[in-house]
Amino acid sequence: MTARNLHSYEPRKGHGLPHDPFNAIVGPRPIGWISTCNAQGALNLAPYSFFNAFNYVPPIVGFASIGAKDTLRNIEETGEFVCNLATRDLAEAMNQTCAAVAPEVNEFELAGLTPLASTQVRPPRVAESPVTLECRRTQVLQLQGVDGVQVPTWLVLGEVVAVHIDTALLKDGVYDTASAGHILRAGGPADYFTVGPEQLFKMHRPR
């Protein structure tokens, strides 16, 4: 594949754009397509439907691992992960990485994807993804019910330390969510939605 022309930055140093793209990248109910590696460097890639942004400055994203899966174990070992934007063009590959396979199976290879070295963390990015967020773990919290009983679900939170955006998605310096082809997980067993220009409307905050 041809190399992408990327706008890359470290949020703590400023984004250098007319408008911060972070909360536009994390669209409504996106899929957290999380790449990790263990301490020995073995790679893992898996999608999480419980994913979102939780803070703006510094940018913090999080996902819930239902069960202590390889992704969670890798992050507990290394403290690092990458969120890769899942788009309509990548939907089938993303779905392949849902497969319940042994820890030694490399989902990049399983789905025919290309690992791309990150700039700030050890786990690689998905080279085919147009937007990637490199993250360092800030908290891992086991969830509990109102009765105080813990459930086998862990909320993983991480600060975004580097952002990489295909410059084709920057229109006059503003991230174009409608053209990126975000896919969103729906409630049914196999339902997904896309975001496109036909869903776009604008509404300014009251002054």
Side-chain angles (χ1 to χ4, degrees):
M1 61 176 290
T2 58
R4 293 185 183 277
N5 183 20
L6 300 173
H7 175 84
S8 303
Y9 65 92
E10 298 174 47
R12 64 185 178 85
K13 297 179 180 177
H15 51 75
L17 299 171
H19 187 76
D20 192 330
F22 174 72
N23 62 342
I25 293 169
V26 184
R29 191 124 193 268
I31 296 163
W33 202 13
I34 309 298
S35 52
T36 60
C37 62
N38 64 17
Q40 290 73 44
L43 303 184
N44 183 268
L45 178 64
Y48 289 84
S49 62
F50 292 109
F51 167 81
N52 221 306
F54 293 95
N55 199 50
Y56 197 25
V57 180
I60 292 175
V61 295
F63 68 94
S65 175
I66 301 173
K69 299 176 181 176
D70 296 334
T71 301
L72 175 64
R73 287 189 285 267
N74 288 349
I75 293 170
E76 288 179 327
E77 282 188 21
T78 68
E80 298 176 335
F81 61 97
V82 178
C83 300
N84 305 276
L85 182 65
T87 63
R88 186 65 186 90
D89 291 344
L90 294 170
E92 293 300 326
M94 181 278 298
N95 196 44
Q96 285 294 313
T97 65
C98 287
V101 295
E104 61 270 17
V105 174
N106 182 338
E107 287 86 357
F108 281 88
E109 294 178 355
L110 183 68
L113 296 165
T114 310
L116 177 65
S118 295
T119 62
Q120 303 295 318
V121 299
R122 283 168 286 182
R125 297 171 272 162
V126 173
E128 290 80 2
S129 178
V131 182
T132 52
L133 312 175
E134 299 181 23
C135 305
R136 291 199 179 101
R137 180 196 65 210
T138 57
Q139 294 170 275
V140 176
L141 307 171
Q142 186 171 2
L143 302 186
Q144 63 181 39
V146 70
D147 56 4
V149 176
Q150 290 183 321
V151 297
T153 298
W154 287 263
L155 175 62
V156 180
L157 298 169
E159 180 176 341
V160 179
V161 296
V163 178
H164 309 278
I165 306 168
D166 188 328
T167 55
L169 299 179
L170 296 174
K171 308 298 184 185
D172 298 322
V174 178
Y175 180 80
D176 186 7
T177 306
S179 296
H182 292 226
I183 55 174
L184 314 176
R185 188 68 172 92
D191 293 351
Y192 291 82
F193 287 95
T194 60
V195 172
E198 61 276 9
Q199 285 90 38
L200 176 64
F201 71 97
K202 296 182 182 292
M203 185 166 55
H204 296 285
R205 291 185 181 184
R207 292 186 179 274

